[in-house]
Amino acid sequence: MYLKSLSLKNFRNYSRAEVDFHPHFNFIFGKNAQGKTNLLEAVYYLAHLKSFRATHLNQLIGLPGAEGAQLLGKVEDREARHEIRLHLQGTKREVWLNQKKPVLLKDFYGLVKVILFEPWEVYLFRENPSARRRFLDRALFLDDPSTLLLIREYEKIVAQKNRLLKEPLFDEQELWVWNEKQVAIGARLLKRRLEWVLKINELLPAEYGRISQTGEGMKINYVSSFLAPEQHCLTEDEIRICFTKSVQEKNMEEKRWGESLIGPHRDDWRVFLDERPLSVLGSQGENRCGVIALKSAQICLLQKKGEGAPIFLLDDVGSELDATRSAALFSYLKDTPGQVFVTTTEPSKISTAYQNDGASFLVEEGKIRVL
Amino acid sequence: MTPFDRLTHELSKLPGIGQKSALRLALFILRQGPEYSQALSDSLLELIAKVTFCSHCFHFTDRDPCATCSDPTRDSRMICVVEDSADLMALERTHIYRGRYHVLQGALSPLDGMGPDQIRCHELIERIKKEEIREIILATNPNVTGDATALYLSKLLKPIVPKITRLSSGIPVGGQINYIDPMTLSKALETRREY
Ligand SMILES: [Zn+2]
């Protein structure tokens, strides 16, 4: 599966752009603040109907008041061709797939698979837990788009429960209802996360070895706010029972703090090299290799399921990687079948060998042209 | 404020109507001429003057009790609980259900300030205690707040009602009852399950 072409109208700083892409490497050169990341954002938006950096839809619309923003992406998937057309206006978003309005969860999500690598992610293991949870939820979506429903439902339930807990006076039965909902949906979400960690851990040591050229075994340890590590193999039903018990025990404390204190929204995960925690005892270089391994393991996971390689978006990643690691990453990407988009301010950093295996573009003030 | 601005301002308060749509509607009304405006304002005033909420089921009505509550051919020992009047009307279009209703006027949602007191569940309990109710059908929406409301009511009503059911299959998760076609809704009514 790859993005054959993209056209943008009034999207961010692109008043009008039309571009055909290469099935493998696409290098996007240009100075800072010219629109390189906006282009990646458009590709990401086609897959997720959500931006990785804008919190409001109207931030994506170029000139306000005009006819809104339009995105048109043509996707080739083996024999099939798809056309995705999006229209963003005000706070509304309209989606057409092959000229028809799709049922998003059934027909749309999962059609275009995208993995994003942003510069700040090389610090992922040292970031705060919420960044890691967001990473995990994006990974679950990539692995199985139906998880999105679960994630959203769980977030809504926690928001409702937190609001109730902040009320000066409320009905105990009402809290019981939100606890029941939280435990039922939360246990299912937690089980999905634990299963994903198990699957990714089978692939991580080999991926890390390939990228770092060392023999240390990389793995993820999930840190639950209420399950002990030896309970991670429990079934969803058993998790629900533990969760219920823990919520009951935390009842007084949650009321005192006015918010929900345990559950998937309070969990975290850590990365280890053999038995060494990467965030505290790992070098800068090891942290970077770890993140790349995590991304490439996700690509492996999709390929193992018989799905094509996803589109890999690398936003200015060269800026955070030294020459050796950058070379290792590109030699890895060269052997990976999926489509890759790379933005950088320094064309010299990309060996011409790779540039010949793809297309190069120059972005200047919201205009894109083929080099 | 000009008369035109005043109308657009009032219209923009309607659910789903933004500034732009309000402007379009106001222009449309203006173009229709005085007869249409008269008819529109008369109907609005009549609505407010004559339509109230039924004291039994809280559906809107021009007489109390409403037509469904006073229909002797309907099964008075069965109550279908819905979030709002639009859901009641959607269920009525299926022509399958022959019991009575209770309109909650919303669903439990702390974020929207909707608690048990706002959704008329005490009125429902009082009604169940007075009338001899055999079955309660929980027909709240299959989304987060609708499910929470159903769970809350079932816990509350279990000791006083012999049978509690919930609309089942065919309703898309996260959906809304008044947008579902009558065929699907009939199926959901027929296959309702114990709750
Ligand atoms: Zn009535």
Side-chain angles (χ1 to χ4, degrees), chain B residues 54-59 61 64-70 101:
Chain B
C54 170
S55 59
H56 286 68
C57 71
F58 299 100
H59 182 35
T61 176
D64 191 14
C66 73
T68 1
C69 286
S70 48
Y101 289 95

Side-chain angles (χ1 to χ4, degrees), chain A residues 26 43 66 95 111 128 132 157 190 206 209 251 259 270 280 288 296 310-311 333 363:
Chain A
N26 293 276
V43 178
V95 184
L111 194 69
N128 52 35
R132 276 187 295 278
I157 291 166
L190 179 52
N251 186 273
E259 65 183 324
R270 290 187 214 300
V280 201
R288 284 163 195 199
S296 66
I311 298 174
L333 290 173
V363 170

Side-chain angles (χ1 to χ4, degrees), chain B residues 6-24:
Chain B
R6 194 177 146 203
L7 179 61
T8 23
H9 178 69
E10 292 305 324
L11 288 171
S12 67
K13 291 179 186 166
L14 295 169
I17 304 289
Q19 278 299 330
K20 253 188 195 163
S21 317
L23 200 74
R24 242 191 3 253

Side-chain angles (χ1 to χ4, degrees), chain A residues 219-236:
Chain A
K219 68 162 190 245
I220 288 181
N221 275 3
Y222 190 87
V223 186
S224 161
S225 46
F226 66 90
L227 280 187
E230 64 273 14
Q231 291 175 303
H232 287 190
C233 53
L234 295 180
T235 64
E236 187 189 319

Side-chain angles (χ1 to χ4, degrees), chain B:
Chain B
M1 205 184 255
T2 68
F4 188 80
D5 287 344
R6 194 177 146 203
L7 179 61
T8 23
H9 178 69
E10 292 305 324
L11 288 171
S12 67
K13 291 179 186 166
L14 295 169
I17 304 289
Q19 278 299 330
K20 253 188 195 163
S21 317
L23 200 74
R24 242 191 3 253
L25 289 173
L27 276 171
F28 174 85
I29 293 167
L30 195 62
R31 275 199 300 267
Q32 299 309 298
E35 249 174 72
Y36 177 75
S37 292
Q38 190 66 56
L40 182 66
S41 47
D42 285 350
S43 65
L44 287 175
L45 291 172
E46 195 187 3
L47 180 81
I48 292 311
K50 292 196 182 153
V51 177
T52 55
F53 291 99
C54 170
S55 59
H56 286 68
C57 71
F58 299 100
H59 182 35
F60 65 80
T61 176
D62 50 8
R63 63 193 160 106
D64 191 14
C66 73
T68 1
C69 286
S70 48
D71 182 347
T73 68
R74 296 186 82 114
D75 186 349
S76 63
R77 297 192 304 162
M78 219 166 163
I79 297 179
C80 179
V81 180
V82 293
E83 286 181 27
D84 59 39
S85 286
D87 297 339
L88 182 155
M89 292 186 286
L91 285 158
E92 278 300 276
R93 282 196 290 273
T94 66
H95 302 293
I96 281 194
Y97 180 64
R98 296 296 297 157
R100 299 201 199 280
Y101 289 95
H102 188 87
V103 184
L104 293 171
Q105 313 287 351
L108 284 182
S109 173
L111 287 171
D112 299 303
M114 298 295 286
D117 293 341
Q118 281 72 35
I119 63 167
R120 303 207 184 264
C121 60
H122 302 299
E123 287 88 340
L124 177 62
I125 292 167
E126 286 309 308
R127 200 175 148 193
I128 291 168
K129 282 181 184 160
K130 261 190 283 177
E131 301 164 27
E132 216 175 285
I133 304 299
R134 182 168 49 87
E135 181 180 347
I136 292 280
I137 303 172
L138 298 169
T140 50
N141 288 318
N143 53 25
V144 170
T145 53
D147 282 343
T149 309
L151 193 60
Y152 179 82
L153 290 176
S154 76
K155 173 116 176 169
L156 224 60
L157 303 182
K158 228 155 225 167
I160 52 174
V161 180
K163 191 176 176 190
I164 297 175
T165 55
R166 175 109 169 91
L167 286 200
S168 71
S169 72
I171 300 188
V173 176
Q176 280 190 357
I177 286 176
N178 58 339
Y179 289 133
I180 298 166
D181 66 281
M183 278 293 288
T184 310
L185 209 45
S186 316
K187 190 93 198 117
L189 259 174
E190 283 164 357
T191 58
R192 65 181 185 268
R193 59 190 160 73
E194 291 275 356
Y195 192 72

